Amino acid sequence: MDLLELFTRTLDVTLPVFAMVFIGIGLKRLGWIDSTFVSTASSLVFKATLPTLIFLSLVKADLSVALDVPLLLFFAFATLGQFFLSWAWAHFRVPMADRGIYVQGAFRGNCGVVGLALAAGMYGNYGLSAGSLLLGVVIVMYNALSVVALAAYQPGQSTDWRSLLGHIIKNPLILSVFAALPFTAFSVSLPSWVMTSGNYFASLTLPLALICIGATLSVTSMREGSQIALSASLMKMVILPVLSTVAAWLMGFSGSQLGLLFLFFASPTAAASFVMVKAINGNVALAANIIAITTLMASITVTLGIFALRLAGWI
């Protein structure tokens, strides 16, 4: 396979995902969708269509393949490593008031939408099922670690573990993972009409979520972005994915395992980070800039990353 064909195959994975993001930008600028639509659609995705997609992907999965304990453990430890590395850098290079926002923006990826969409595009049912289990792990870690980082540097805030635990237990994505596991473990089949209807509903998830991401991006806000936002974005999209992926390769991961890990590591900053910063009256402009910059960077960095990994023969 020559370089041009390899690069074309890489674009076949990444372009459909990021094209939907840019379509969202275009629709918002044309006035065909507005903030009310984005708010409603985002809520629908989070509470209903994405949990359905995760549930169905796990129900259809071969748990002996999707439940990869070494992969889950490595991903959990790598996420912890990314968190502490971001915190260490912020401690020396970022003003105290913005450190928590920097840390959250640098380590918290949008695995639930962008990562899962890329995994589905690259690895099909395996990407969805194995990715859904990774998502179940990382949702818990992202929420817990984000509260720690923000509470540590935000005046008047404390780490309310009871509230945090309540949010985690009630999270629709985590609930969908646990709801699906008995069906998968005991090979319980759902009626075909339920699966068909569920697939129709779940198919709304990725295009709708990606369009909403595009519609929420603010180019004006990004132009006014600070050096801190750019630093956090480079940490999120370049430094941490490279270090984590190389570490995974050194640990013996390769092929679809390594590819899946890279896609989750290289996902842009999650929109949920903005919501958490706003809730504690933090620097929302910084949080928004990090999300905007990383989302636009992802179309380039993810494509180049997949191309480089395939060129090296790692995936």
Side-chain angles (χ1 to χ4, degrees):
M1 185 185 302
D2 59 27
L3 287 178
L4 180 59
E5 185 180 354
L6 182 61
F7 190 66
T8 302
R9 283 186 58 192
T10 302
L11 290 178
D12 287 341
V13 174
T14 58
L15 274 184
V17 172
F18 295 109
M20 298 306 295
V21 175
F22 288 109
I23 286 173
I25 295 174
L27 292 176
K28 181 68 180 297
R29 290 182 68 87
L30 289 170
W32 292 2
I33 58 177
D34 57 17
S35 299
T36 302
F37 170 86
V38 172
S39 177
T40 303
S42 297
S43 179
L44 177 66
V45 167
F46 178 70
K47 294 178 180 178
T49 67
L50 183 54
T52 302
L53 177 66
I54 292 171
F55 176 83
L56 292 179
S57 67
L58 289 175
V59 166
K60 293 183 290 186
D62 180 354
L63 203 59
S64 64
V65 175
L67 184 58
D68 189 335
V69 175
L71 187 74
L72 293 172
L73 288 175
F74 178 83
F75 187 60
F77 282 112
T79 300
L80 273 177
Q82 292 176 354
F83 173 74
F84 287 120
L85 184 58
S86 301
W87 194 315
W89 180 266
H91 181 75
F92 293 104
R93 294 301 188 100
V94 179
M96 180 173 289
D98 292 331
R99 284 177 193 168
I101 301 165
Y102 178 99
V103 172
Q104 185 187 214
F107 93 96
R108 185 173 189 168
N110 195 343
C111 301
V113 176
V114 178
L116 208 58
L118 289 167
M122 194 161 176
Y123 296 115
N125 287 333
Y126 168 76
L128 276 174
S129 54
S132 295
L133 290 176
L134 287 178
L135 190 58
V137 172
V138 85
I139 288 169
V140 176
M141 296 187 69
Y142 279 167
N143 280 282
L145 295 176
S146 293
V147 168
V148 172
L150 293 172
Y153 293 110
Q154 196 67 24
Q157 297 294 321
S158 62
T159 305
D160 184 352
W161 291 105
R162 182 175 298 178
S163 174
L164 172 62
L165 186 60
H167 285 303
I168 291 173
I169 292 173
K170 296 175 186 176
N171 189 295
L173 307 186
I174 294 177
L175 291 176
S176 67
V177 172
F178 284 110
L181 289 180
F183 290 90
T184 307
F186 298 107
S187 300
V188 178
S189 298
L190 293 172
S192 59
W193 71 267
V194 173
M195 294 296 293
T196 302
S197 300
N199 285 326
Y200 286 158
F201 189 60
S203 65
L204 295 171
T205 303
L206 299 179
L208 192 58
L210 293 168
I211 285 172
C212 288
I213 289 174
T216 56
L217 293 182
S218 172
V219 177
T220 302
S221 176
M222 195 173 64
R223 289 198 192 109
E224 299 170 356
S226 64
Q227 289 297 113
I228 298 174
L230 182 59
S231 173
S233 300
L234 289 172
M235 179 72 77
K236 179 70 191 78
M237 301 309 300
V238 180
I239 297 171
L240 294 180
V242 169
L243 291 177
S244 301
T245 305
V246 170
W249 179 74
L250 292 173
M251 290 292 291
F253 292 100
S254 62
S256 57
Q257 288 180 314
L258 186 63
L260 187 62
L261 286 170
F262 168 75
L263 293 176
F264 273 57
F265 291 145
S267 295
T269 302
S273 62
F274 175 85
V275 176
M276 291 193 72
V277 172
K278 189 173 183 179
I280 63 168
N281 296 316
N283 187 345
V284 291
L286 175 59
N289 285 334
I290 294 172
I291 294 168
I293 294 171
T294 55
T295 301
L296 295 180
M297 283 179 67
S299 59
I300 299 172
T301 56
V302 173
T303 301
L304 292 179
I306 294 173
F307 177 69
L309 290 171
R310 282 180 165 170
L311 189 62
W314 290 12
I315 63 174

